[in-house]
Amino acid sequence: MDNIILIAPPAAGKGTLAHMLHEKYALPHISMGDLLREASSGDSSEAKSLAIEMQSGRLIADDIILSLLTKRIMMPDCEQGYILDGFPRDIDQAIAYEKLLAKLNKSLGKVISIYVSEDVAMKRVTGRMICSNCHTVYNAYIEESQPRVAGICDECGGHLEKRSDDNVETFRIRFQTYLENTAPLLQYYEKQGNLYQVNNDISKELAFNELEKIITGGETND
Ligand code: AMP
């Protein structure tokens, strides 16, 4: 299967959709945010300064990003394709990624833009809760995404947590960062003929349907 890049503003549901793709097609889901959170969870001074940078909502330096990504996509489970979530975030990262792919003899695959309006994204961010055990995502403000028991994961009984960067102030910075740095990537990939679009303003089921058509070749990119 082709490699997939998901591009979206914060809280567009790309993590959820990537997880659904992973479940159905057994493609590894590489979340740059998760790789960074893992790298920032230790006690070293590098881990601590990484954690502070991430809480600010700013983008992390490219050398850190590329080194984490390179290690991950060289793992054997990525040989048959993978889903990239949260990378690349700007044109510089896109160019660095193309060089990396050439070196590793891998191809870019399909780039899928997930649309969501700023209002819907804000609601998703401020209500979002994630299972500390299996990473299933819930939302306190969206009825169909609430857990059956408050604070407890339906899937595994794990404890639900809020991400420390899921607040209104950080959301605004992250949304602005997306518009300035990441949105230009859409044009970049459109010019290359690799860009596909999915709308996730209404429901994740509809969005997933659209996604499936794209990755299985049932949809054209014109
Ligand atoms: P996410 O989980 O994708 O929302 O990412 C959380 C935070 O990790 C972001 O606000 C950035 O600080 C950082 N981050 C994630 N992906 C990247 C990337 N590709 N380049 C730089 N920083 C990133």
Side-chain angles (χ1 to χ4, degrees):
M1 194 160 257
D2 282 330
N3 294 326
I4 297 165
I5 295 177
L6 298 178
I7 296 185
K14 74 176 151 48
T16 306
L17 291 170
H19 183 70
M20 290 164 85
L21 281 180
H22 161 74
E23 293 277 293
K24 183 147 181 191
Y25 295 96
L27 289 170
H29 167 199
I30 305 178
S31 154
M32 204 63 233
D34 283 350
L35 289 183
L36 284 164
R37 275 183 284 280
E38 208 181 299
S40 68
S41 65
D43 272 336
S44 66
S45 60
E46 289 88 352
K48 284 182 182 151
S49 62
L50 188 54
I52 292 170
E53 265 309 281
M54 284 180 73
Q55 269 187 25
S56 75
R58 285 189 294 272
L59 293 177
I60 305 302
D62 285 356
D63 55 339
I64 299 178
I65 298 291
L66 281 158
S67 125
L68 290 172
L69 179 73
T70 307
K71 276 190 209 132
R72 183 63 189 92
I73 65 174
M74 284 176 73
M75 289 183 182
D77 65 334
C78 289
E79 272 165 23
Q80 303 304 318
Y82 52 85
I83 307 159
L84 268 188
D85 160 4
F87 179 92
R89 291 231 175 178
D90 58 26
I91 306 266
D92 285 350
Q93 287 189 358
I95 293 168
Y97 183 50
E98 276 157 33
K99 288 187 188 145
L100 177 64
L101 288 172
K103 215 158 76 186
L104 301 179
N105 206 17
K106 289 180 182 283
S107 59
L108 182 80
K110 289 177 173 154
V111 180
I112 305 176
S113 151
I114 300 169
Y115 169 81
V116 71
S117 66
E118 191 169 349
D119 277 3
V120 172
M122 170 79 89
K123 212 165 156 188
R124 284 186 183 151
V125 161
T126 46
R128 177 156 62 184
M129 291 173 305
I130 302 171
C131 175
S132 53
N133 180 43
C134 72
H135 308 297
T136 301
V137 181
Y138 296 87
N139 195 294
Y141 304 139
I142 301 171
E143 212 181 318
E144 64 274 16
S145 305
Q146 289 166 351
R148 284 194 291 272
V149 179
I152 305 291
C153 179
D154 293 352
E155 305 291 329
C156 73
H159 175 66
L160 302 186
E161 290 176 342
K162 263 186 96 63
R163 266 170 44 177
S164 57
D165 56 351
D166 274 350
N167 57 65
V168 176
E169 296 73 32
T170 306
F171 171 79
R172 293 229 162 90
I173 298 173
R174 289 170 66 212
F175 206 89
Q176 198 53 34
T177 305
Y178 170 81
L179 291 179
E180 282 168 21
N181 300 306
T182 310
L185 275 177
L186 302 181
Q187 259 187 318
Y188 179 82
Y189 286 123
E190 192 168 26
K191 279 195 195 134
Q192 290 187 1
N194 290 319
L195 187 72
Y196 298 77
Q197 311 257 9
V198 163
N199 183 339
N200 195 19
D201 237 356
I202 316 283
S203 83
K204 63 179 184 224
E205 287 73 23
L206 284 178
F208 188 65
N209 256 333
E210 287 182 45
L211 254 184
E212 279 195 290
K213 279 192 206 145
I214 294 166
I215 69 161
T216 58
E219 185 83 82
T220 60
N221 61 340
D222 54 24

